[in-house]
Amino acid sequence: MGDTDVRFYLSILIRRLPYMLAIAASVLLLAVVATRVLPTVYSANARILAENPQIPAELARSTVPTGPAEQLQIVQQQITARDNLLTLAEHLGIYEGSDTPPAPEDIVADMRSRIGFEQTPLDEPGGAIVFNVAFEASDPVVAANVANEIAAMILGRNQQQRTDRAGNTLKFFDQEVAKLGDNLNRIEAEILKFKNANKDTLPENLEFRRSQQSLLQGRLATLEQEEAELRTRRSNLIVAYAGAGQLSGTTPITPEQQMLAELNRALAEQLAIFSESSPSIKALRARINSLQSRLVLSQPKSEEKTDRVKADDASKSFGLDLQLSDIDDRLQSITREKTTIAQRVSDLTKSITATPASETALNSLERNRENVQTQYNSAIARRAEASTGEQIEMRADGGRFSLLEEATPPTSPISPRGKRILMLGAVLGAGLALGYVVLLELLNRTVRRPAEVVRLLEAYPLAVVPNIRPTAYRRRAPKRRSVFARLSAAVLPTLAAAAFYHVPLKIAFERLLGGLSGT
């Protein structure tokens, strides 16, 4: 502070004070003009309350999954669409007072800049949201009407969208249930047709057929055993009658016949132990068939000879013939029954062999039916939920929007903000005035103080002669400053008054501001 020449700087401020006042007053005047020239804007707000579903989701679930915030964003985008904004502007006549009708693109841009949306979440467990809808206009009534119209559009569109979504969901599941029902009927018809066409090879009666096969094979073994015993008995009768001399001319039993009887007896014994597929059974049957073939080839001669002997000794062999006839009848019966049983066993074997293929095809059809049945049951359950959700939305028990507070014409504008502009103009004017003085002093290279002489000459002066001005100059200087101050105090308010009350100048000023702002 010791080197600071306060008196010098104060003298500079006093000397430059008229200029500073002029600059500050000019800027302040511009601020005052701006508060009067800038267009007046009013903003009206409507408040919408967005609530979550009224019925708990654990009891009945709505089919519209979007929450209040997402629903508001969707409706907001729809309302600010181009066609909707043009329709809204035309319906409310927002631009009817314009000298020249604005272009549609200008209307859309201007409407979007005027409409404001703001969400305010509430501190409630339900997660409700208060949604502010604002519109700015030069007329407070127009601002309130447009804000209320937008709020009504939000409420109507939200309810319509939720109801439409619930109805479309129910319609979708109705169609899905009908389609799956047709598929289910078609697959069941295919299964029935397949079962009718393959009723002998179905897996569901496989055990019955296997048991039938086992019983028939057992019966076949019993018959073969009985056949072997009958053949043995027949051979023994012939041998007994021939040995007793009651059958003269009878040809004794041949070794082949004796061997055949022994093989039949052994086969009967083996069948009681082993199955038909046993190697020993197969070998015995092969030997029996071979012996029977050889006996058949030699039978005509034996039969002719036997017939001749029978003719001679008919009376002696009557009892033997009766017994042999019974045995032969039984053998023929056994042969016919064996043929029938063998055919039946063959058919059962074929059906059992074909069962796996039928089971695979039937399982594929039934698996397809189970899948479709599962989808059908799920679609039925979801259709019931969709029906409940539609009822919830029709009763407005889902995510509900309600008008919390309608917009009213505002009493004070939001623009221009006079106090703020004036305060800003005063601060800016003072700053510019001070800056102007500082700039002049920086540009002034005149030596005016002893310290500047010392800094310039690097030597202390012996004495300092003050600036002695003539008396006439001292008398005129205050007058000049007074005149300049009076001009500043008179001209500037005059210009301000002209800017306020002279219409052409005001319009020119507004056009100037409009050109600077680019609007």
Side-chain angles (χ1 to χ4, degrees):
M1 295 295 293
D3 296 335
T4 304
D5 193 351
V6 178
R7 295 183 57 189
F8 173 72
Y9 291 117
L10 287 176
S11 65
I12 291 176
L13 289 178
I14 292 172
R15 188 170 62 254
R16 303 296 184 183
L17 184 59
Y19 303 102
M20 294 178 64
L21 291 176
I23 294 173
S26 300
V27 176
L28 184 59
L29 175 62
L30 292 176
V32 173
V33 171
T35 59
R36 300 296 302 273
V37 172
L38 289 176
T40 304
V41 178
Y42 294 88
S43 177
N45 294 326
R47 302 179 67 193
I48 296 174
L49 178 62
E51 301 175 272
N52 280 333
Q54 305 300 308
I55 300 177
E58 294 79 7
L59 300 179
R61 188 184 303 275
S62 172
T63 54
V64 182
T66 55
E70 293 80 3
Q71 191 68 22
L72 283 173
Q73 292 177 357
I74 293 173
V75 176
Q76 176 183 345
Q77 295 300 322
Q78 291 178 347
I79 289 177
T80 55
R82 183 178 185 276
D83 295 339
N84 291 330
L85 291 178
L86 292 176
T87 304
L88 181 63
E90 183 179 1
H91 175 64
L92 297 178
I94 299 175
Y95 298 95
E96 287 182 351
S98 302
D99 297 334
T100 56
E105 290 73 13
D106 296 335
I107 293 177
V108 172
D110 184 61
M111 289 290 289
R112 285 176 178 168
S113 64
R114 292 186 182 189
I115 298 175
F117 300 95
E118 183 182 4
Q119 298 181 14
T120 305
L122 300 179
D123 297 333
E124 294 182 358
I129 297 176
V130 173
F131 196 69
N132 292 327
V133 180
F135 187 78
E136 298 177 356
S138 58
D139 189 349
V141 177
V142 173
N145 292 337
V146 176
N148 288 328
E149 184 67 19
I150 295 175
M153 292 174 64
I154 292 175
L155 297 178
R157 286 178 178 271
N158 173 66
Q159 183 63 30
Q160 182 181 359
Q161 286 184 358
R162 296 187 71 89
T163 306
D164 291 345
R165 284 191 180 186
N168 292 335
T169 303
L170 179 60
K171 183 179 179 180
F172 169 77
F173 281 111
D174 284 339
Q175 296 174 353
E176 192 70 11
V177 167
K179 183 183 71 177
L180 292 174
D182 293 340
N183 291 339
L184 193 60
N185 293 333
R186 179 180 55 79
I187 293 174
E188 288 179 347
E190 291 179 358
I191 291 175
L192 180 60
K193 181 180 179 181
F194 180 83
K195 285 186 175 180
N196 291 332
N198 303 274
K199 59 183 178 181
D200 295 333
T201 60
L202 294 177
E204 54 197 26
N205 55 4
L206 177 62
E207 294 299 326
F208 173 76
R209 283 182 279 123
R210 283 177 175 173
S211 63
Q212 288 291 317
Q213 185 187 33
S214 299
L215 291 176
L216 291 176
Q217 288 176 347
R219 176 61 179 168
L220 187 61
T222 303
L223 290 175
E224 288 177 348
Q225 184 177 3
E226 183 180 0
E227 182 183 13
E229 291 175 354
L230 288 174
R231 290 187 183 281
T232 303
R233 181 183 173 189
R234 188 177 187 283
S235 298
N236 293 336
L237 285 173
I238 293 174
V239 170
Y241 272 85
Q246 297 179 0
L247 185 61
S248 60
T250 304
T251 303
I253 189 170
T254 62
E256 289 80 5
Q257 292 177 343
Q258 184 67 31
M259 182 179 297
L260 180 60
E262 293 295 335
L263 290 175
N264 286 327
R265 187 181 303 109
L267 178 60
E269 294 174 355
Q270 293 292 327
L271 286 173
I273 302 173
F274 302 104
S275 63
E276 285 288 340
S277 59
S278 173
S280 59
I281 297 299
K282 292 181 179 178
L284 285 174
R285 285 192 179 281
R287 294 181 62 183
I288 290 171
N289 292 332
S290 176
L291 282 174
Q292 286 178 347
S293 301
R294 283 188 294 177
L295 288 175
V296 169
L297 293 176
S298 61
Q299 189 174 5
K301 295 180 179 179
S302 300
E303 289 180 353
E304 293 177 358
K305 196 173 183 179
T306 303
D307 293 339
R308 192 167 53 251
V309 172
K310 284 182 179 178
D312 297 336
D313 303 328
S315 58
K316 296 180 182 179
S317 60
F318 182 73
L320 177 61
D321 293 340
L322 288 177
Q323 296 185 40
L324 292 178
S325 176
D326 292 339
I327 293 173
D328 292 340
D329 292 342
R330 180 56 186 159
L331 288 174
Q332 292 177 357
S333 176
I334 290 174
T335 302
R336 290 193 298 270
E337 188 175 358
K338 284 175 60 179
T339 302
T340 304
I341 293 175
Q343 182 63 37
R344 179 59 180 158
V345 169
S346 176
D347 294 341
L348 288 174
T349 303
K350 290 181 181 177
S351 68
I352 292 173
T353 304
T355 297
S358 299
E359 184 178 9
T360 302
L362 184 61
N363 287 340
S364 178
L365 291 173
E366 290 182 345
R367 185 167 54 251
N368 193 12
R369 182 184 61 181
E370 291 177 358
N371 293 334
V372 176
Q373 182 70 50
T374 302
Q375 296 177 5
Y376 181 77
N377 295 338
S378 177
I380 288 289
R382 292 183 178 180
R383 185 178 66 176
E385 294 181 358
S387 178
T388 303
E390 185 187 33
Q391 295 297 323
I392 291 174
E393 296 302 333
M394 291 180 66
R395 295 177 52 180
D397 289 332
R400 184 172 57 186
F401 287 4
S402 58
L403 184 61
L404 189 64
E405 181 181 337
E406 66 178 5
T408 57
T411 57
S412 58
I414 62 170
S415 177
R417 300 180 182 276
K419 293 182 180 179
R420 184 176 298 180
I421 293 176
L422 291 176
M423 185 176 297
L424 181 63
V427 173
L428 182 61
L432 289 176
L434 186 61
Y436 173 75
V437 172
V438 172
L439 180 62
L440 290 180
E441 293 304 320
L442 291 176
L443 296 176
N444 190 0
R445 299 299 181 184
T446 305
V447 177
R448 294 171 291 178
R449 292 183 298 167
E452 294 175 355
V453 175
V454 171
R455 186 169 56 251
L456 179 64
L457 301 177
E458 297 181 355
Y460 288 95
L462 297 177
V464 176
V465 179
N467 185 15
I468 302 173
R469 295 178 178 177
T471 305
Y473 179 83
R474 289 198 302 270
R475 291 177 180 175
R476 289 195 299 269
K479 291 182 180 179
R480 288 198 298 271
R481 288 196 293 268
S482 176
V483 170
F484 187 81
R486 289 177 182 178
L487 288 175
S488 300
V491 173
L492 294 177
T494 303
L495 292 176
F500 285 130
Y501 301 107
H502 192 265
V503 176
L505 184 59
K506 181 179 180 180
I507 294 174
F509 194 76
E510 290 178 354
R511 290 178 179 176
L512 176 63
L513 292 178
L516 294 175
S517 61
T519 57

